[in-house]
Amino acid sequence: MELKYFSPSSVSTSEVVHIGRTHSTFLSNYRHKFGVRFSTHFNCRRRLFLRTYDASDKTCLSNKAVISSVSPDNFAAETSPYIINGINGSSLSLYSRNLRVLDAFDDEYGGVLIDPDRLSANPSVFAPMLRFSLSHWKKMGKKGIWLKLPLEQSDLVPIAVKEGFQYHHAEPGYVMLTYWIPEGPCMLPANASHQVGVGGFVINDNNEVLVVQEKHCSAATLGLWKMPTGFILEAEEIYTGAVREVKEETGVDTEFIEVIAFRHAHNVAFEKSDLFFVCMLRPLSSRIIVDEHEIEAAKWMPLVEFVKQPLIQEDSMFKKIIDIFIARLGKRYCGLATHQMVSKFDGRPSSLYYNVSNNEDINCIGN
């Protein structure tokens, strides 16, 4: 339906629907021309306002007629009021503005995912469409609404917030907002609560540990020789992340053996929790190439010297990790190896970490 303007010469006041009466010839012609149906039943979202102004007292009388499109449910039309004004009498102009439900996909939980690639970049167009869509989805019994706004459409964020959307999370290229329709507490999943880190414990045949000193560290860890550490990337496995971090910081190629321990801490960064996995790795090369952006120095350090560092001896957690690692070397402890599995629940491959205490090659016990 296109935007149409009606001049005073094309519509007379006698053609306006009388309050509480049936439609006039004008509405019938409108219906035939644009393929819409009219009803005298009141509807707060799909309506045609027919208003008359008296120039002297500026009172406004209105009648409402519902407009519903003959298209599928994801498309509907709404008209704005026509304007009547004038001097010593009345003049008339009537315009119709087309509104439709935003392009979106249904999710499996009774919610809606708005298509970010089909959003209007014009805030004056987006605002009424969003408002109209929320009304439509409420009538359809939808629950959670997800709105992803790319960085280049950040002008639309205040509009969504004004309509009741809340921030969910943000990435470098977009912000995600949500809207919960039903009464009661919001049941949408919260933003990610954890960051995931890894450390690579690498020891060679000479009983030397691959260690680094970081360029940027706290005063408490200044001078400490430590294992290479870092954060897991998006969609990256724990074991591949550990191998990657060791390679990036030291240039040494390694092979994942198992997770020997992991730490869980809270309120670490921006009130997020932290999972840190200590991985045992086997070196496949020995030449060290230091990452000059992050690492001050790197070397192969005898295990005995590594353990004797005051900062390790004084820290109960560091010391416990070293004790576990030494027990693993003595085959008195078994860590968690990775096993590729596929679950029928989602049909996706996953990595399941568990130990196998009866593996003769490892000869370890998982206690």
Side-chain angles (χ1 to χ4, degrees), residues 45-342:
R45 284 295 178 185
R46 300 178 183 177
R47 58 189 180 270
L48 174 67
F49 288 94
L50 301 179
R51 298 183 176 178
T52 58
Y53 259 102
D54 181 88
S56 59
D57 59 12
K58 298 183 180 179
T59 57
C60 175
L61 301 177
S62 67
N63 186 35
K64 303 177 181 63
V66 179
I67 299 180
S68 61
S69 125
V70 293
S71 305
D73 285 340
N74 68 341
F75 182 86
E78 178 179 350
T79 61
S80 296
Y82 68 66
I83 305 169
I84 305 176
N85 50 37
I87 301 175
N88 296 325
S90 295
S91 63
L92 173 68
S93 65
L94 175 63
Y95 66 91
S96 171
R97 183 180 61 194
N98 179 41
L99 288 182
R100 65 178 178 82
V101 177
L102 292 169
D103 292 296
F105 309 94
D106 291 337
D107 66 23
E108 57 184 314
Y109 304 104
V112 172
L113 307 173
I114 298 174
D115 188 350
D117 297 327
R118 313 240 344 180
L119 293 174
S120 171
N122 188 338
S124 62
V125 174
F126 173 74
M129 288 181 66
L130 180 62
R131 192 176 304 116
F132 182 66
S133 298
L134 290 174
S135 175
H136 172 76
W137 291 324
K138 288 177 182 178
K139 294 175 185 177
M140 296 292 292
K142 297 299 181 181
K143 297 178 180 177
I145 311 299
W146 297 83
L147 175 61
K148 179 180 179 181
L149 293 177
L151 186 62
E152 59 270 17
Q153 293 182 312
S154 58
D155 289 348
L156 305 182
V157 172
I159 297 173
V161 172
K162 185 177 180 180
E163 292 299 325
F165 278 81
Q166 296 183 339
Y167 294 117
H168 187 269
H169 68 273
E171 294 290 343
Y174 72 87
V175 61
M176 181 71 77
L177 300 100
T178 59
Y179 184 100
W180 182 249
I181 293 178
E183 296 291 337
C186 175
M187 301 301 292
L188 293 175
N191 182 26
S193 59
H194 287 67
Q195 61 182 16
V196 181
V198 289
F201 222 125
V202 187
I203 189 165
N204 61 20
D205 294 337
N206 299 322
N207 226 27
E208 295 173 322
V209 181
L210 182 61
V211 294
V212 299
Q213 284 185 340
E214 296 182 336
K215 278 191 173 181
H216 312 286
C217 61
S218 65
T221 59
L222 189 64
L224 173 67
W225 290 99
K226 57 182 281 294
M227 60 183 158
T229 60
F231 289 106
I232 292 294
L233 303 178
E234 185 175 354
E236 185 178 41
E237 296 282 357
I238 293 171
Y239 63 91
T240 55
V243 170
R244 175 187 53 77
E245 282 292 343
V246 171
K247 176 68 174 179
E248 289 178 355
E249 294 189 0
T250 69
V252 175
D253 295 310
T254 60
E255 178 185 19
F256 173 82
I257 299 177
E258 58 195 28
V259 173
I260 61 172
F262 69 90
R263 182 206 67 174
H264 193 198
H266 306 287
N267 296 318
V268 175
F270 301 103
E271 301 180 355
K272 298 297 182 182
S273 298
D274 180 89
L275 284 169
F276 181 77
F277 292 85
V278 182
C279 301
M280 183 176 180
L281 306 177
R282 180 184 294 113
L284 301 178
S285 65
S286 59
R287 185 185 175 208
I288 294 176
I289 304 175
V290 172
D291 177 6
E292 297 180 353
H293 297 288
E294 297 185 46
I295 303 302
E296 184 67 34
K299 67 179 182 178
W300 291 99
M301 187 178 195
L303 178 60
V304 175
E305 293 182 21
F306 177 71
V307 174
K308 287 183 178 179
Q309 291 185 95
L311 286 176
I312 289 181
Q313 290 297 317
E314 296 168 3
D315 188 281
S316 59
M317 184 171 295
F318 267 123
K319 193 172 184 303
K320 184 62 178 178
I321 291 174
I322 298 299
D323 290 343
I324 293 173
F325 184 70
I326 293 175
R328 175 63 185 85
L329 291 176
K331 298 182 178 180
R332 293 177 286 107
Y333 175 88
C334 185
L336 306 176
T338 180
H339 304 267
Q340 299 302 309
M341 311 285 287
V342 177

